[in-house]
Every structure is written in C-alpha cells, then in structure tokens.
Amino acid sequence: MKRMVSVVMTAMLITIPVTSAFAGTEPVTVKERAQVLASKLLSVSGASGVQYAIMDKGSIVLSDNAGVKDKASKAPITKDTMFGIGSISKMHVSAAAMILADAYEIDIDEPLTTYIEDFKMADKRYKKITPRMLMNHSSGLYGSHFPNSTLLDDNDTKLHDELLNKLQSEHLKANPGEFSVYCNDGFDLLEIMIERVSGMSYTEFLAKYVSKPLNLSSTKTPLDQFDRERLAKTYFPTMDQALPIENVNAIGAGGLYSTAEDVTKFAEILMGNRTDVLSKQSAEAMQSPEYKKGVWVSEKTNTFNYGLGWDTVSLPPFDDYGITALFKGGDTERYHGSLVTIPKYNISIAVLSSGGASVFNLTFASSVLLEYLKDQGHIKEILPEKTFKPSLKVNMPSELLSYAGLYGTRDSTINIEIKNGEIDLPEQLGGVIPSQKYVYTGDGQFKSKDGSATVSFDKQTNGKTYVKLNAYTNYPGLGQFMMVIYLYQKLDSNPLDHTTKKVWENRNGKSYYAVDEKITSAYYLATPMISKKISVDMDHGYANGTKIVNENQAVNVVQIPIVAGRDVFDLNFYKEGQTEYLKIDGFSYINEDAIQPINEGKDSSFSIPSNGQAIWYKIDEKSANRVMNVKTPASGGFAVYDKNGMSVNFSKATDNHSVVLPEGGMIVFGGKAGDVFKIELKNK
C-alpha cells in the first residue's frame, strides 16, 4: 500500500530462509528458535515490536512477540496487541467478493459496470474490466490514488468517496487482462462494488460475513468502534514521541487492523477450511496462477506470481520441497505484515510489526515456518541457501548491441549503453540491488561481480522489449530472497519542437508541492512524500518517465508487468492567474517558484482559502533561525521542514506549535476553508 515506491517494492520481495541463522545459539524448540530470529528481525529492520502466530489444523500452536508496544512506557506486546496489516487487507476484500460470488450476487467475469453503474473512465476500454481483473492486478488501471489515503487520528472517507469521480477523467495503461502489475485502486473498487451489491458498508459486510463467523474479535477497519489503545505505537525517525493513530482509509487496498492470531484464523477460509464462510471452490480459485494469463517472465521459480489477491501462489523456497505455499505481504507507512499459508498441511503463519518492512517479516515467517515443518516431520531437512561464483566475462555477440538505447520505468528514463560487454545500472528497488556493473557471461546474460544478480533483455509477445533482472539478496542472520522482474521498457525517442522544449526546460529540476492533501496526512512527515520533482530528458522528449505530447502534458507509455510498472501517472500543467500548477491523478501541486517567503514581521495572520487548499511558504534568510509560534484552529495544522525536506515539526503529530525555522526549509499550513492562523516570529 505504501506510497514510496522503492520502499513498497522492497517490502513486496519474498524471502528464502538461511540455515545458519541459529549457528552458535543451539535453541531447542521452535518457540526458542523463533525468539532468536525475532530478536534478529528487530535489530536488522529497526522495528519497535513484532508479533507472530502459527495456526496448524485450526489450532494456534505458537503465539509470541518481541520488542515493545510503546517505547516510552516499555509496555510489552501481547497476543491482543493490534497492528495495521496493510495490503494483507486485499485478501479480505477479495474473499468478500468471492463470498458474493458464492451467493450468485456477482459473477467475477462480468463487467464491473454491471455492479458499479457509475464507474466510468475517459477510455472506452474500462467497460471490459471485471472483478477478476481487479483481484489479479490486470485491470490496466494506472495504480494508486495515494493522496489522503493515510491520515493521523482521522478516519475521513474522502479517498473512498472521491475515487469514482477521479477515475472519470483518467485512462488505462493497457488493455484489461493484457498483463498484471500491482494495483491498489482495483481493491478499493472491489470495496465499492461490495457496498453497492450488498447494500451495506464494507465495514458492516466484513463484520457480518467474515469476522463474526470466524470470531475475529480483533479485526477492524478505521470506521469501526474499538479500543485504539490496543494498537501498537508507531514512530517516525526524526521524532521521539509516538505518532497519532494511523488510519489507512483505502480500506479495501490496505486499511485493516488485526492481530497475528486473527490473521491466521482468517487464513482458514483462504485454505478452504471454512466452507460455511467461503466455498472450497472459491478458495481454490483464489490460489490459481492468474499471472500466467498475461505477459510475464518465463522463469518457473519466482517470488512474484499473482493469484486472486495473493502476491504469490507458489512461494520459494517451499516449492523446492514440493510444497505449495501462498503469500501476501502488507505495508502501510508505519505498519508491516506478512501471511504465509500451506493449504496441503492446513498451516499458516502471520507476522506483524510496527516499523521495519514486510520483507523482514517474510524472512522471519519463512524461516520459522520451515523450522516448524521440519519439527512436525513434513520435511526432513532445511536446504542450504543459494550460493554464487564470481562472474567470468566472455566475448559478447555483436547483435546484443541492438538492445542499447532509451528505456523507461515509473518516474524515470535511462539511456542504457553496452560497452565492451558491460552494462552499468543504477540502484534498484530503493537500494536493495546496489548501483553496479554487469558483465557479459554468455547465454544473453550480464551478471554482477559476485554473480548474485543477472540482467538480460526480453522481447515479449506484446512487442515490448524489457530489461529483466534475476537477483538474490542476503540479510545476514535472517535470510535470502530472490526475484525475477522486468525493470525497464525500451522506448522510442520523442523529439520536441523548439517551443515545447523551451517550456519543459524551464520546469526541469523544479519541485511541485501538494495543495489538496489534508493536514492530517502522514505524508506531511517528509516533503518527498507530498511533492513531485520534475526531471526532463530533453534529448529524448520524456519527463519523469512520461512522454511529452505538448507544452503542458506528458502521458504514461510504460507497460511493465509485475511491479516496476505500478503507480504510473500523467503530468498535466495548468495556470491559475500567473501561478503554475501540476495535476496528477486529479490532485494539484503548486510550482515552487510561486511559493513566497513567510512574512518576516513579528506578527501576521492568514486564512485557508475557500477551495481548502494548503498554503506553502519558504524560509529565507530573514526568517531563518527565528522562533515561530502558531495559533491554529482545531481543524488546522502546520509542518516545518529543513532544507532536505525532513520534518522538524509537524503539529498534528507532535502537538507542538513552536519551532525554530531552519534556513532553506519550507512551511505548510492546512485546515478547513476559512481557518485562521496567527503567527508570531521572534528572535531566539
């Protein structure tokens, strides 16, 4: 669910256990081994607390935790401590849709417009989208409407209420069903469909048809009434105190709270064990290899292979043992979770944490689950992790030079050069794969120095040429993960006329700041989460990976399956008076050049305009290093950032209304239309 794509992709990676995790510790029981790994997880991931549970044939056989619920009080996590489960929530909304299918209320292969009559898009292909395509990520939707999705102490349904309206002006990136690429909006549309068909809110539907029969007393949505003190506290790196409660208001895509025990109870219906809730036929349909229906990598062993809702319907390394394991990961801004189930043995494990990332949770889950399978006699031994030999460079066939050229991915383009049988690529997935050189080793493959990562070129049935990455990465003491994904798509050059080029040259390097984001948004913790920096490839006619079509518009052309092509966008620029704005997915961002310095006078005041948009200010040398005191209305708030875009104070998170202004930083004020802010600036 997370907005920051590099983090999201990292979190979706799937891990393979390392057998040396217990070297020297000699823990005896699975419980003891799990505790050793849990301590390692905390130290490696930076999570403040983790909770985990294993269910075997309907009974909880392991339930434990590590770390704390609250850093200040050092209160321990218990089995009843609740966490946000992020995109594991997609399994709930998918199951809910299948419950309707069991009742013949919907047909998952009928057009979505059958059930949401006012679902419309500016692309006639939308009429071909079906509920199945929403669940297997093949709808062709751009990806995610992130603004106002994650709010602090605020369960406003604004995102849900406005989604259909936002989609009306948008296009698809591919034909529905052509290929699967991770898409949050599809599951929010499922939520709306369930409400329209059932005649009740999704929160009510989930409680009545899932939570009540399964006795999921700790599974709630932000709209439920429950004791919020049960939630594990969350933290941000630049702040000492805990953050206010995080509400992911994209409930279908990632908004549920739960416990590890509840998640494993819920997994019973996903394995086909609770036919009073979900038919075995529907559970098995959700486990089908949906990804095979469209464009995909050819490798049989891979950590990305979508089912209906599931991230993975055949999780390595369990397939090495002849065991089919299913996986779903989840990440919000501060909560993380992983669910692994093995239908053959009716076993599931859930791991939830505050802080860290689901990649670490999955490493832990896979390692502990293999230990449990061995303990129960389902496997004889745990296989060693994959090892590699240093790459040996060989002569490269000259025909491979034809693959050099312009490539694009979400938010960027790259000119790939092949020189002397070598390719240089920047870091991938937020640094999980470092910036490095790949040398030609034969069979069309270029490998990293240590041999753990392989790059090749793949011309697919859709006529597109992709850069493919097959990589393994180790987390010492925790595990190893592997993936096969497409990174880049080959693009044609797009020469610009002089006038258009001049306009885009003026935007190159400029940042645009969100004005439609509610001031309660967790994204105000850092400006990169609520801004867009424009990067223009003048030589080829692209901006942030989008193809420039005129002076004020650039459109997405990226069609990359799996994950790298998720959350794409168009760029649309417009002016109000002399002020330029950028619109993405129906949300507006103001040009940094239009942002004025904060009034350096001792006292000043202003109000939120009638359109409710946030107001941004720069901190210049006249106001820098002075103390700013702000009187805000109850609905208002503000955030102050340093020159690197990190929050030094966010009033909705800290309740602090006095701050020293950092030179070169920024300030944003937000609230309801008409909210008045009174500011006092004084010397320290």
Side-chain angles (χ1 to χ4, degrees), residues 407-421:
Y407 286 79
T409 190
R410 182 199 182 275
D411 208 35
S412 66
T413 53
I414 181 174
N415 190 44
I416 294 181
E417 298 181 330
I418 305 175
K419 294 182 178 179
N420 301 317

Side-chain angles (χ1 to χ4, degrees), residues 388-405:
F388 305 92
K389 294 180 180 179
S391 297
L392 180 63
K393 184 178 177 181
V394 300
N395 291 331
M396 185 191 77
S398 59
E399 56 262 29
L400 289 180
L401 291 172
S402 64
Y403 286 110

